[in-house]
Amino acid sequence: MPDPTELRRPGSGLHPSHFAALRTEILRTSARLSDEQLLDLADALHRLIRLRRPGRPVRSPAEAWVEDKPRAFA
């Protein structure tokens, strides 16, 4: 049976302890990323923010926020 402190309403986000762990891991790992990889990750997160804006047209989840290929740099 799940711990009652872990139950969250849909749309309420991660449990604060889970978010803290995720944030810590992202920051720890980002120190090892190349500049291009870090920019690609930041762009992906920024796309997610833009998709959450009110009034955005509904799109297929497959094309909305995840791309198979990372951004290419010349």
Side-chain angles (χ1 to χ4, degrees):
M1 185 164 154
D3 180 350
T5 62
E6 297 294 318
L7 298 176
R8 310 278 295 157
R9 289 188 339 261
S12 66
L14 290 177
H15 187 276
S17 64
H18 296 170
F19 176 74
L22 175 62
R23 185 178 188 279
T24 298
E25 186 61 23
I26 289 171
L27 293 175
R28 185 187 66 76
T29 304
S30 67
R32 297 191 324 239
L33 297 176
S34 68
D35 290 345
E36 291 82 13
Q37 290 170 327
L38 191 56
L39 284 170
D40 183 58
L41 180 59
D43 285 346
L45 292 172
H46 190 241
R47 279 193 302 272
L48 285 172
I49 292 168
R50 288 193 313 253
L51 288 170
R52 290 180 173 214
R53 290 183 182 159
R56 294 273 314 168
V58 176
R59 295 169 54 186
S60 163
E63 65 180 276
W65 63 279
V66 176
E67 294 178 3
D68 291 335
K69 298 176 186 172
R71 187 171 78 177
F73 290 88

